[in-house]
Amino acid sequence: IKQYEQACQRAPKGVAPSKLLPSSRDEIELHEDLVEVCGELLHFRGAGQDFLEDRLFITDRISRLFGCHSECAEGSREKEKASRIVTVMDLRLAFAPCRAVANNGRLSDSPGIGTTDALQLQSLYESLATHETVIAVPNMGRSLAQDSGLVALLFDQSEVISNMVKYPQTHRLIVMHYLEKILFSEHVDQLVQWEFEKTDKLMKQLHTASTQTVREELLARGLCDEESADRLLLQNVAVISPLPVLF
């Protein structure tokens, strides 16, 4: 990323920054801390002509590396096993400040609201009932205002919001916008050129819409007054829009 930023700064007008990026493995500069811990390095490089094509190429190579892709079209188990690279690594623990998992908490993944499987639905409602902090991801990278099903789940079909109102010292809501689909379908050209003006505008719009939706739904259902709603939004509700990874 640092090398790409430097390329953007020194690229002449009309010259794509990608043309100034390393063209061979030997030109790639690795941080000294990374060099100390990494073992064998594998280098995958796309053609540099089409961003999405290169992204799919890298994803495919990583899938093959970790045994998620079969080389054999007819599904031969022996050829599939032969194409896999066994990856072994020591157990690593990473520590970082995170309010959502404070006090020996843990992160749990639950099924989405679109499932029709009875067991998955049961797992979803059990997760909502037993976790103090819930991370809600609106569908298709849109705002909470555009996902009526998620709003109904949080406010009507579970105790997520009511528990947050009753127990503000422990219960929290995180609304996380999944931006990858919408960014790579509508703003991929700007991202490739390292231009974030439209992306920043989109993130602000999503933040405003989701925050306003939580406030309006709290008041419409009579769960609290305006002062309490504003306090909950400030102390118990987080609306975030993390940028997506490349793969």
Side-chain angles (χ1 to χ4, degrees):
I1 293 177
K2 182 178 180 181
Q3 286 179 285
Y4 191 86
E5 290 177 338
Q6 294 172 346
C8 289
Q9 294 173 0
R10 68 174 188 271
K13 186 176 181 179
V15 178
S18 58
K19 299 296 183 181
L20 303 179
L21 290 176
S23 58
S24 68
R25 177 175 55 190
D26 296 333
E27 294 180 14
I28 296 177
E29 300 175 4
L30 297 178
H31 193 280
E32 57 184 11
D33 292 342
L34 179 60
V35 175
E36 290 182 4
V37 299
C38 66
E40 180 183 2
L41 295 176
L42 299 178
H43 177 249
F44 304 112
R45 180 173 181 266
Q49 302 298 320
D50 187 284
F51 176 79
L52 293 179
E53 182 178 317
D54 287 351
R55 180 170 179 254
L56 291 174
F57 167 76
I58 298 298
T59 302
D60 176 73
R61 289 301 180 271
I62 293 177
S63 298
R64 293 174 187 269
L65 176 65
F66 286 96
C68 302
H69 181 89
S70 175
E71 295 253 355
C72 182
E74 60 269 18
S76 169
R77 297 297 298 173
E78 294 302 321
K79 288 188 178 181
E80 181 180 353
K81 291 179 181 178
S83 69
R84 294 184 176 185
I85 297 178
V86 178
T87 305
V88 180
M89 62 180 295
D90 295 331
L91 176 64
R92 302 293 181 183
L93 297 178
F95 297 89
C98 181
R99 290 186 179 182
V101 292
N103 302 320
N104 299 316
R106 62 187 176 90
L107 290 173
S108 302
D109 187 21
S110 66
I113 63 175
T115 182
T116 56
D117 184 274
L119 292 178
Q120 290 186 346
L121 285 173
Q122 180 181 353
S123 176
L124 169 61
Y125 287 110
E126 287 179 353
S127 295
L128 295 177
T130 57
H131 286 72
E132 295 178 343
T133 298
V134 172
I135 302 176
V137 184
N139 188 33
M140 301 295 287
R142 305 298 179 177
S143 71
L144 190 60
Q146 297 168 298
D147 195 334
S148 58
L150 184 55
V151 171
L153 177 69
L154 296 174
F155 284 86
D156 301 323
Q157 301 168 9
S158 71
E159 302 297 321
V160 172
I161 301 300
S162 60
N163 282 337
M164 185 180 71
V165 175
K166 294 177 184 177
Y167 314 108
Q169 69 277 10
T170 56
H171 288 67
R172 292 176 174 82
L173 171 66
I174 299 175
V175 179
M176 185 172 71
H177 303 123
Y178 178 67
L179 297 179
E180 182 160 356
K181 185 175 183 63
I182 186 172
L183 287 183
F184 281 112
S185 62
E186 299 181 14
H187 303 294
V188 62
D189 294 336
Q190 289 77 28
L191 289 176
V192 172
Q193 297 299 327
W194 217 249
E195 298 174 358
F196 293 95
E197 182 178 351
K198 291 184 178 179
T199 302
D200 291 340
K201 182 179 180 181
L202 170 65
M203 293 168 65
K204 291 179 181 178
Q205 291 174 343
L206 292 173
H207 184 279
T208 299
S210 292
T211 301
Q212 184 175 348
T213 297
V214 174
R215 189 179 191 278
E216 291 177 350
E217 296 297 336
L218 284 169
L219 298 176
R221 287 167 171 76
L223 294 173
C224 57
D225 55 29
E226 292 189 2
E227 182 179 351
S228 298
D230 292 336
R231 183 168 58 250
L232 285 171
L233 287 171
L234 180 64
Q235 300 178 355
N236 296 78
V237 178
V239 180
I240 60 177
S241 302
L243 287 172
V245 295
L246 289 180
F247 41 76

